[in-house]
Amino acid sequence: MTTSEQVTRMAPDRLATVLDLAQACLDDSSSTAQELAGRAFLSRFHFDRLVTAAAGEPPGGLRRRLLLERAAYRLTTTADTVLDIAVEAGYGSHEGFTRAFARAYGVPPTTIRRHRPLTFRELELSAPNGVHFQPPGGLRLPAPHQETQMDIVQHLVDHHVDTLTAIIERASTLPDEVVDHPITVSVETIDDHPTLRTVINAMVTQEEHWLSALRGGGWPDEQDQTMSGLRDRHAVAGADYRAFVKQTLADGTLADTFVDTTCQPPATHTLGGTIGHVITFAAVRRALAVGALESAGIRDLDNGDPRPFLDERAG
């Protein structure tokens, strides 16, 4: 069994002790190891042994790592000075923080600030237990199990079959004149009063939105809805979102969670659930956009069916 599995399967009281320590590190970076041991009603010796056995790293190492991960997040998402971030992380000087940060990340804080990663998860330091800082101010625990790419595909199919079952059940309660009435396309659950421009903007913003959430940021700026602006925004967000999905699949972290900081109150989602969400809502909007283009006389996209695309890749 890996240390990460041990953390997720350890006795609840021991897990609570480790997590209380980790959260205390974030809530009060000035706390000493002796003070943290006191909060757990343990001697410093037994406290160190407990945390090291449970988490695979000593409390001092766990504390420093989580505070540095939070500092990296602050560097990439705020305009706070490096000194302010250093003090918040428990360092008494800019120089001391810079040395510790460079040892952990291989580059100084200013480099991280200039070269923002694709998602905050890229700033997570190596850990034996899977416990990491989770923006905006919490902790991320290792998932009790992981999903495979095949699991996600199967879940999407299961969701479709189950939803169709529910649709049929509810339609069965309606009179025939309602069931047989011509349908006027209704997308109230997706977008209000859609136009080709707003549907395209919604798809671009969806990419930007989830990337921002994964970075611990806020709602993206969607003011520029000119076709050239949408093209430029998508050129960046589309490439980054594609890279995020590719990396998530390669890492096998579909069941890992993150906090969506773009909404109030913040909500927790899995990476796989977010990918499935984007695929589903984008499919509806793509169909609307392709239909609007068809009405405008542009018919070279057929109906937007992904089957020919997938068949070609398989061939």
Side-chain angles (χ1 to χ4, degrees):
M1 182 184 298
T2 66
T3 306
S4 177
E5 291 172 328
Q6 290 172 347
V7 170
T8 58
R9 297 181 186 181
M10 74 174 74
D13 57 338
R14 289 200 167 194
L15 176 59
T17 299
V18 172
L19 297 183
D20 285 347
L21 160 71
Q23 191 63 58
C25 294
L26 299 177
D27 295 338
D28 183 5
S29 61
S30 64
S31 295
T32 66
Q34 187 65 47
E35 289 171 339
L36 294 173
R39 294 184 192 183
F41 303 102
L42 294 170
S43 69
R44 173 70 185 278
F45 174 76
H46 285 96
F47 183 69
D48 285 1
R49 286 189 60 188
L50 169 65
V51 175
T52 302
E57 59 184 329
L62 174 64
R63 177 177 182 273
R64 286 190 297 272
R65 178 174 61 78
L66 291 173
L67 289 172
L68 284 173
E69 287 184 350
R70 184 176 68 175
Y73 167 72
R74 298 280 197 264
L75 286 166
T76 58
T77 59
T78 75
D80 294 349
T81 67
V82 174
L83 179 58
D84 287 340
I85 293 172
V87 172
E88 185 185 42
Y91 292 85
S93 69
H94 183 295
E95 292 75 15
F97 170 70
T98 298
R99 285 195 299 270
F101 193 93
R103 281 197 301 271
Y105 284 100
V107 296
T110 51
T111 299
I112 292 290
R113 172 158 274 175
R114 287 197 304 267
H115 302 286
R116 189 175 67 166
L118 181 63
T119 72
F120 174 75
R121 296 173 68 88
E122 295 179 31
L123 293 178
E124 292 177 350
L125 295 168
S126 177
N129 47 50
V131 178
H132 293 281
F133 170 70
Q134 175 68 67
L139 299 174
R140 181 175 68 81
L141 307 182
H145 72 281
Q146 276 299 347
E147 310 244 311
T148 67
Q149 301 174 40
M150 293 176 63
D151 289 334
I152 294 298
V153 173
Q154 186 63 58
H155 292 337
L156 288 172
V157 172
D158 291 343
H159 175 262
H160 166 71
V161 173
D162 291 346
T163 302
L164 179 54
T165 299
I167 290 171
I168 293 172
E169 288 176 349
R170 286 154 180 76
S172 300
T173 67
L174 300 172
D176 286 345
E177 58 268 25
V178 174
V179 175
D180 297 325
H181 187 78
I183 290 178
T184 300
V185 175
S186 175
V187 290
E188 282 84 357
T189 59
I190 305 294
D191 295 312
D192 294 327
H193 313 296
T195 66
L196 181 55
R197 186 185 307 279
T198 63
V199 166
I200 294 174
N201 176 67
M203 287 188 283
V204 174
T205 301
Q206 188 176 43
E207 296 170 335
E208 297 171 330
H209 163 207
W210 290 112
L211 286 167
S212 183
L214 288 161
R215 292 165 175 153
W219 191 265
D221 181 3
E222 53 180 312
Q223 292 184 69
D224 190 349
Q225 297 186 23
T226 63
M227 284 303 116
S228 61
L230 290 166
R231 184 185 301 111
D232 292 343
R233 288 168 55 197
H234 176 57
V236 175
D240 282 358
Y241 188 77
R242 192 198 302 261
F244 151 67
V245 173
K246 183 176 182 180
Q247 189 63 54
T248 301
L249 295 177
D251 292 344
T253 53
L254 290 162
D256 279 4
T257 60
F258 69 99
V259 177
D260 180 3
T261 54
T262 66
C263 64
Q264 291 298 328
T268 301
H269 311 294
T270 65
L271 300 182
T274 299
I275 293 170
H277 166 87
V278 172
I279 290 173
T280 299
F281 278 72
V284 176
R285 290 179 173 129
R286 281 201 319 273
L288 291 173
V290 170
L293 290 171
E294 185 92 6
S295 298
I298 301 175
R299 298 180 170 84
D300 60 327
L301 293 180
D302 194 18
N303 58 6
D305 184 0
R307 181 185 51 76
F309 177 86
L310 295 173
D311 287 349
E312 181 180 347
R313 293 300 183 278

